[in-house]
Amino acid sequence: MRILITGITGFVGGHLVEHLMSLGGHELFGVSRRAEWPGGLSHLAPHVRLFAADLCDAGVTEQVVRECRPDWVCHLAGYANTGGSFRDPERAWRENLTATRCLYDAVTGSGLKPRILFVSTGLIYGEPDEPDGVCAESTTLKPASPYAASKAAADLISYQYTRSAGLDIVRVRLFNQIGPRQSADFAVSNFARQIAAAEVGKQAPEVSVGDLSARRDVADVRDIVAAFPLLLEKGRCGEAYNAARGESFLIQSLLDKLVAMSRVPIQVHQKIEPGRKADTAVARADASKLRAATGWAPQVTLDQSLAGVLNYWRSLSGTQTS
């Protein structure tokens, strides 16, 4: 397949490229704001033809689509900072909703008929309908941040374009992913970064944390991206699919596991900001629809995933990972 991936230079994009390379036989194209790979992804450069484009410029985006002539499009690009979206909601709406609409207009204008995978987020569900916190694809959408609301709108417009423009779009809603190369803006990666730094004396043997009481459905990013080509092959046009482990974990328990893996004793210092309300998140996702449609199932255990994150930060700190 000829595959065009937007947002290819991000955390999920890099792992998707590695997975597609392992499958073999695909010709890969990518779009990012700048046609540059970050240092940690420079090994992918020989395998991908990379274009610079602002997806909100439908004319430029259409030129890219025409040149790539993709069989599949995987739309990962977007604004992905929940907290930041409160400070800059216009950017969140532009990069999530406007960019998605312009991409679809560009595909329509090209006259090509690729199958498109729109990558959404479980945060569009907001507070779950049921007390047990399990969310299926039919759960009411109640997004609680500009980020989640803009992704929910892009998710819905993806369905609309299957009806009004006849595009072949499948939606996948991701929950919490962890893995090597994830930014320290995310909790598990932040914990691991601090532990790796403490192991080599770059900081005191302690981890500073916030609220640890929330539960999250956590899966390895390498498992999540393995679902993408399966959905592009087998997903139904217009349908949405949750991609998640289907099991929730206390953030406290994730930290405890990482601390147990540390090579030095670690103290935990918790500081909860006064008046801060915990971020809404689905405690557990029902991913049975994805499993039934594609046969997908997670392969990486939670302990393997956590060890992979910690070893990644150890590699950056200059310590041995085994």
Side-chain angles (χ1 to χ4, degrees):
M1 291 290 181
R2 296 170 64 88
I3 307 173
L4 174 62
I5 304 167
T6 72
I8 196 171
T9 57
F11 169 58
V12 177
H15 284 284
L16 176 58
V17 171
E18 289 173 338
H19 178 67
L20 293 171
M21 287 168 53
S22 74
L23 297 178
H26 297 301
E27 190 171 356
L28 304 179
F29 305 86
V31 175
S32 63
R33 287 191 176 277
R34 294 179 297 275
E36 300 174 357
W37 292 98
L41 295 178
S42 58
H43 64 290
L44 302 180
H47 306 281
V48 180
R49 185 177 177 190
L50 193 58
F51 295 85
D54 179 350
L55 294 182
C56 291
D57 187 331
V60 172
T61 303
E62 184 177 330
Q63 290 177 13
V64 172
V65 172
R66 287 179 180 276
E67 189 163 350
C68 297
R69 301 188 63 82
D71 303 298
W72 289 348
V73 176
C74 190
H75 181 35
L76 293 171
Y79 184 90
N81 187 320
T82 300
S85 72
F86 287 98
R87 297 186 293 274
D88 193 357
E90 289 191 10
R91 181 181 173 190
W93 282 96
R94 180 179 188 274
E95 295 183 9
N96 288 333
L97 179 59
T98 304
T100 299
R101 178 179 55 79
C102 288
L103 172 64
Y104 295 161
D105 287 343
V107 171
T108 301
S110 74
L112 300 170
K113 298 292 184 181
R115 163 150 274 211
I116 301 169
L117 183 69
F118 173 74
V119 181
S120 188
T121 169
L123 287 176
I124 67 176
Y125 295 117
E127 294 290 349
D129 291 340
E130 302 298 331
D132 62 4
V134 179
C135 278
E137 292 82 359
S138 59
T139 298
T140 305
L141 305 187
K142 294 181 287 187
S145 68
Y147 162 68
S150 60
K151 289 295 286 187
D155 188 300
L156 293 173
I157 204 173
S158 298
Y159 173 77
Q160 182 241 307
Y161 267 73
T162 68
R163 302 298 297 271
S164 62
L167 296 187
D168 185 8
I169 304 172
V170 178
R171 294 166 287 159
V172 61
R173 296 167 178 170
L174 310 188
F175 292 76
N176 293 80
Q177 316 109 55
I178 60 174
R181 301 194 299 262
Q182 187 171 34
S183 165
D185 291 337
F186 296 86
V188 167
S189 197
N190 188 29
F191 302 158
R193 178 192 60 80
Q194 293 185 70
I195 291 170
E199 288 179 337
V200 295
K202 291 183 177 179
Q203 72 170 54
E206 59 186 39
V207 177
S208 298
V209 302
D211 184 10
L212 301 172
S213 64
R215 301 186 72 91
R216 298 289 186 265
D217 193 326
V218 178
D220 193 283
V221 65
R222 292 160 291 190
D223 278 331
I224 294 300
V225 298
F228 293 0
L230 294 174
L231 280 170
L232 283 160
E233 291 173 359
K234 302 177 181 180
R236 293 182 58 186
C237 176
E239 291 292 313
Y241 299 83
N242 289 338
R245 188 183 296 274
E247 184 178 358
S248 65
F249 304 91
L250 274 171
I251 299 298
Q252 176 74 63
S253 72
L254 303 179
L255 174 61
D256 291 344
K257 285 178 177 289
L258 285 168
V259 168
M261 295 176 187
S262 174
R263 296 167 180 166
V264 299
I266 295 289
Q267 296 293 318
V268 175
H269 292 283
Q270 186 175 33
K271 182 179 180 180
I272 301 176
E273 298 176 26
R276 175 167 178 171
K277 184 180 179 182
D279 297 331
T280 61
V282 178
R284 184 160 63 89
D286 179 353
S288 59
K289 184 177 177 181
L290 171 64
R291 292 172 183 254
T294 67
W296 174 88
Q299 302 298 312
V300 184
T301 69
L302 179 62
D303 285 350
Q304 290 171 334
S305 224
L306 293 170
V309 177
L310 183 54
N311 283 333
Y312 166 71
W313 286 106
R314 283 172 173 160
S315 72
L316 295 185
S317 69
T319 60
Q320 296 295 315
T321 61
S322 61

